[in-house]
Amino acid sequence: MELDFAFLADAADVSLGKLFVLGGAFDTIHVPAFPATHPILAVVIRLLLGPNDLDRKHKLEILLLDADAHHIASANGDLTVPKVPASPQGWKQAVILPLRFFNVPFKEAGHYSIEILANGTMLKAIPLRVIQAPKP
């Protein structure tokens, strides 16, 4: 299994194999004051699964950590992707996952990280910075 891409978005959904994104590919959130709660944070990932990865269970974890690696939020579960019978020999099948976190708490300004793990192996860490918005 390999990670094709991963990014943050305000909202994301998948329909008929197509990804629809609103406010995607950012690395900074501006908040009015701290502590802050961000209403929706979507983590969008696209995995490519080879023939040996299909029809078997994989453990997927998404961790949101602060700069000191303290846990803020997480999502985890099992992922099984069935082999599409019409796939060409050796074809890597893609699966797009828009994972949503609701009401994410941020106690203070700083650097955060979203870590994506599959079967206990980190595939990517997405950096996130949370700062106070300038006063008008």
Side-chain angles (χ1 to χ4, degrees):
M1 176 185 330
E2 65 183 85
L3 181 67
D4 188 26
F5 61 75
F7 61 89
L8 302 177
D10 290 327
D13 203 2
V14 175
S15 178
L16 301 172
K18 293 182 180 179
L19 174 63
F20 297 87
V21 176
L22 178 65
F26 59 84
D27 63 3
T28 303
I29 295 173
H30 297 86
V31 299
F34 289 96
T37 301
H38 193 68
I40 301 173
L41 181 63
V43 179
V44 179
I45 64 174
R46 182 175 189 247
L47 299 169
L48 299 175
L49 292 95
N52 293 333
D53 298 318
L54 300 168
D55 294 319
R56 45 183 284 237
K57 187 167 39 173
H58 300 278
K59 182 166 178 55
L60 189 63
E61 292 180 275
I62 310 296
L63 306 173
L64 174 57
L65 307 172
D66 68 13
D68 295 323
H70 295 120
H71 176 269
I72 296 172
S74 62
N76 62 58
D78 295 327
L79 173 70
T80 303
V81 179
K83 183 179 192 304
V84 175
S87 292
Q89 183 74 20
W91 184 259
K92 290 184 179 179
Q93 286 181 213
V95 62
I96 303 171
L97 302 171
L99 306 164
R100 296 166 196 90
F101 290 88
F102 296 97
N103 299 316
V104 181
F106 294 104
K107 290 188 212 175
E108 59 191 15
H111 295 259
Y112 295 82
S113 177
I114 292 89
E115 296 186 356
I116 302 165
L117 297 94
N119 302 318
T121 300
M122 182 162 21
L123 300 178
K124 182 167 183 70
I126 302 171
L128 175 63
R129 182 174 60 147
V130 181
I131 59 176
Q132 188 165 346
K135 306 270 186 209

